[in-house]
């Protein structure tokens, strides 16, 4: 007597085999579509945001701190501040006053980049500092640690350069400061006079002579924080 053939089991196995093949085909098709499609608008914006946050370490120092920066002269017209030097040190704690250093540490400071400039009349020195933080929220919180009234303390510490007109640009010489924020960056300035006179020895204060420091810091901050939409045909982008 012949045994009954297990048709139901064979049929079920066949159906499952077909279903698996269909699912695999659909999955492969979806994966192929995902890999071959272009980036979405949201993905492009996210990539642009990541690129901005990385500029402090991917850009050349001379791009962050150009050899000259334009500003408006007191008498009208345009002038340029000239770069004297760029500090090789990037540690956060050494770049600012102790009180501000604690705030930067708490906010997750990654680096502070500094360069010193001199105005067109060769009478005022300005150190510009770029503070790189993990995100915009951290930058906003850290900003509150710095004087927004134009005072130099608590603030950025100046960078002197031996053998130049900035060789006497020490903490005691600071007379004015500023702080600006955009994206994950703070840009700080500290300014003083070339002759090296301590701030306490200066008679009549002339805040207008330091006003250009804010202009050049705004230019540095704008360059660093302005997003660029990714160009997927460019070598520096991975889309």
């Amino acid at each position: 007597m012949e045994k009954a053939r297990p048709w139901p089991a064979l049929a079920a196995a066949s159906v499952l085999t077909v279903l698996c093949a269909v699912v695999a085909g659909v999955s492969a098709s979806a994966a192929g579509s995902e890999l071959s499609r272009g980036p979405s608008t949201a993905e492009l914006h996210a990539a642009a945001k990541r690129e901005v946050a990385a500029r402090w370490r991917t850009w050349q120092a001379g791009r962050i701190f150009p050899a000259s920066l334009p500003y408006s002269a007191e008498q009208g017209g345009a002038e340029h501040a000239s770069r004297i030097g760029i500090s090789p040190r990037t540690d956060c704690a050494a770049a600012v006053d102790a009180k501000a250093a604690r705030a930067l540490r708490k906010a997750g400071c990654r680096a502070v980049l500094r360069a010193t400039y001199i105005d067109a009349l060769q009478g005022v020195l300005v150190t510009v500092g770029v503070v790189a933080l993990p995100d915009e929220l951290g930058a906003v919180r850290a900003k509150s640690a710095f004087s927004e009234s134009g005072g130099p303390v608590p603030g950025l510490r100046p960078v002197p350069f031996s053998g130049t007109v900035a060789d006497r640009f020490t903490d005691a010489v600071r007379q004015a400061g500023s702080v600006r924020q955009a994206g994950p960056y703070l840009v700080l300035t500290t300014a003083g006079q070339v002759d090296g006179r301590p701030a306490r020895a200066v008679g009549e204060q002339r805040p207008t002579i330091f006003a250009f420091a804010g202009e050049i810091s705004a230019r540095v901050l704008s360059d660093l924080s302005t997003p660029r939409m990714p160009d997927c045909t460019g070598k520096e982008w991975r889309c």
Side-chain angles (χ1 to χ4, degrees), residues 10-109:
L10 288 174
S14 298
V15 170
L16 286 173
T17 300
V18 172
L19 285 174
C20 288
V22 171
V23 170
V26 171
S27 298
S29 176
S33 298
E34 181 67 19
L35 290 173
S36 61
R37 74 168 176 83
S40 68
T41 300
E43 289 168 339
L44 289 174
H45 281 289
K49 190 174 181 179
R50 288 193 299 270
E51 189 271 335
V52 166
R55 285 177 183 173
W56 68 272
R57 58 181 174 79
T58 59
W59 280 14
Q60 294 291 325
R63 185 175 181 182
I64 296 173
F65 299 119
S68 67
L69 286 167
Y71 66 91
S72 301
E74 284 187 73
Q75 301 80 12
E79 298 284 7
H80 284 79
S82 300
R83 189 186 69 214
I84 294 174
I86 299 174
S87 174
R89 298 189 62 180
T90 63
D91 49 313
C92 299
V96 298
D97 293 311
K99 182 179 178 181
R102 288 192 292 272
L104 291 189
R105 183 172 61 252
K106 186 175 180 180
C109 179

Side-chain angles (χ1 to χ4, degrees), residues 14 30 34 41 74 143 156 167 201-202 220 232 237:
S14 298
E34 181 67 19
T41 300
E74 284 187 73
K143 182 182 178 183
L156 185 71
D167 61 355
V202 177
V220 170
C232 294
W237 294 99

Side-chain angles (χ1 to χ4, degrees), residues 5 52 69 100 164 169 176 211:
R5 293 179 179 178
V52 166
L69 286 167
T164 73
F169 194 23

